[in-house]
Amino acid sequence: MKKLTRILALTLCCLLAAGLAACGETPAPTPDPDPDPSAAIGGNTQIPNPRVPYENDEFPDFKLAGYPDRDGMKPTGFCLIGGTIGEISYETATLRCAADTGEGEDLSGVYYPDAEESELSVCHSYGGIITVTVKEHSEGTVALWKSCEGDFDYSLWLPGQTGDAAKALVMEFAAGVYAVKPGVETPIGHVAGTEKELTRWREVIRAGNIAKVMAMDHTMTEPVELTPEKAGQLIGLLAESADRLTVYERLPNPATGGALRLTAYDGEGNQLFTACYNGWLVVTFGNEMTNYVFDASDCELYTLYTFFPVE
C-alpha cells in the first residue's frame, strides 16, 4: 500500500512539474520569410528578384541609350531585375526601365507616404512631349514617365535630392533616355522616312491650313502657343527647307538633348503634324504613332533655335 502511495505521489509531482514548466515557457516565434534583399524603400512593397549584374546597357529584350554619362553623372553599374526591369545605377541616382504592361507599374521601388506630387512636360530629344510625374519626399525625389510611344515605363530615384536641382536632373534623364530593340539604334516607333513620306511632308507643310502652332524646347516645362507672326516665320523655315531634306539609308545616332518641337493645328483644332528638330527632322503626321526621320544636314534648320526660348 505504501509503495502504491509513493508511486502515485511521484507521478503527481512529475505532472505538476511539467505543468509549471509549460506555463513558464515562451513559445518559439514563427520565423519570418527570408528577407528580400531588394525590398522596396519605404518598406511595404517589394520589387522582383533576382538581380542579375550586366556589363553594359544591353539587356535581353532592349538596349538603353541616351542616358546621362558625363562628369558628375556616370553609370556605376547595370543589372536586370526579375528578368524584365533594366537598371542603371549612379552614385546619386537609380534609373529603371521596362516594357509597358498596361498596369501602371511604379518601377522605382520607393514608397514613402509623404509624397508631394507634381508634373513636368519634357521635350524628348527624339521628338514628342513626355509627361513626367514627380513625387517629392523628404528622403528624395521619384520621377515616373512613359516613352513617347507609351511602350516603355521609366523611373528615376534621386535619394536626398529635392527641389529645382532634382527637377533639372529629372528633365535631363527624361529628355534623353530611350529604349531600342537589340541591334537597332533608333527608338521603337522611329523609322527612316522614305521618299513617299518626304513627299507627304512637303505637301503638308505647304498646305496653308495651319491655324495654331504650339512650341517647346528642352529648357521649357510645357509648350506655349506662338504668336501668328512667329508661327509664320517658323513654318516658313520648315517649308523652305523641305526640298533640301533627304532620306537616310541607315539612321545614325542622334545628338541627345537640345531638341525643339512644333505641333501644328488647323482651324478646327485637328492636329496636322508634329516636327521635332535635334539635328534630324523627325515628323509625326496627325496623331499617328510612327515618327519619320529625315536627314536635315543640308538645311539650315539650326536657325530655328534663334526663336527660342519663347517668351
Side-chain angles (χ1 to χ4, degrees):
M1 185 68 176
K2 290 182 179 180
K3 184 176 180 181
L4 178 60
T5 301
R6 285 197 299 270
I7 292 173
L8 290 173
L10 181 61
T11 302
L12 180 61
C13 289
C14 291
L15 290 173
L16 180 61
L20 290 173
C23 290
E25 181 180 348
T26 301
T30 301
D32 291 331
D34 291 338
D36 186 345
S38 65
I41 300 170
N44 61 359
T45 304
Q46 295 179 348
I47 55 177
N49 257 336
R51 300 169 64 92
V52 180
Y54 271 67
E55 294 184 357
N56 52 39
D57 53 29
E58 296 187 17
F59 302 108
D61 297 323
F62 60 87
K63 169 183 167 64
L64 287 176
Y67 51 82
D69 187 1
R70 56 172 175 78
D71 290 342
M73 190 57 67
K74 285 191 172 295
T76 58
F78 304 86
C79 76
L80 186 69
I81 305 172
T84 59
I85 301 175
E87 179 182 275
I88 301 179
S89 300
Y90 296 80
E91 289 185 1
T92 57
T94 302
L95 174 69
R96 287 178 178 160
C97 173
D100 180 63
T101 62
E103 299 178 358
E105 183 180 5
D106 180 345
L107 304 178
S108 69
V110 179
Y111 303 96
Y112 289 112
D114 62 342
E116 180 179 329
E117 192 167 311
S118 61
E119 287 188 348
L120 289 175
S121 292
V122 178
C123 186
H124 196 271
S125 60
Y126 256 108
I129 295 178
I130 297 169
T131 299
V132 182
T133 299
V134 179
K135 299 180 180 181
E136 190 170 309
H137 309 267
S138 57
E139 295 83 1
T141 298
V142 173
L144 307 171
W145 70 94
K146 291 183 181 293
S147 60
C148 297
E149 292 75 30
D151 46 5
F152 281 89
D153 295 327
Y154 296 88
S155 74
L156 179 67
W157 166 232
L158 302 172
Q161 302 168 77
T162 58
D164 291 341
K167 288 183 179 179
L169 277 175
V170 169
M171 293 180 69
E172 179 182 358
F173 274 86
V177 68
Y178 59 92
V180 297
K181 293 180 179 178
V184 180
E185 296 179 352
T186 57
I188 299 168
H190 286 66
V191 300
T194 66
E195 291 292 345
K196 178 182 177 180
E197 286 82 37
L198 186 52
T199 299
R200 183 183 178 189
W201 167 242
R202 289 166 179 160
E203 293 172 351
V204 167
I205 193 61
R206 294 167 176 162
N209 60 340
I210 297 172
K212 182 178 75 171
V213 176
M214 302 295 291
M216 183 175 180
D217 73 358
H218 67 288
T219 67
M220 302 162 63
T221 58
E222 59 183 16
V224 298
E225 183 175 352
L226 297 180
T227 64
E229 179 183 3
K230 184 166 286 189
Q233 291 173 322
L234 289 171
I235 295 302
L237 280 172
L238 290 172
E240 189 275 333
S241 68
D243 287 332
R244 296 197 300 277
L245 291 172
T246 56
V247 298
Y248 283 110
E249 292 186 5
R250 183 173 182 271
L251 291 179
N253 289 323
T256 57
L260 57 86
R261 170 192 172 101
L262 302 173
T263 303
Y265 301 84
D266 64 17
E268 297 180 353
N270 299 309
Q271 184 169 313
L272 300 173
F273 65 82
T274 296
C276 179
Y277 179 71
N278 63 345
W280 298 349
L281 185 68
V282 183
V283 175
T284 308
F285 297 105
N287 293 305
E288 297 176 13
M289 296 300 293
T290 304
N291 306 302
Y292 297 102
V293 182
F294 300 108
D295 184 353
S297 58
D298 292 334
C299 306
E300 296 182 354
L301 288 179
Y302 58 85
T303 56
L304 291 169
Y305 289 111
T306 63
F307 292 87
F308 291 82
V310 178
E311 299 296 335

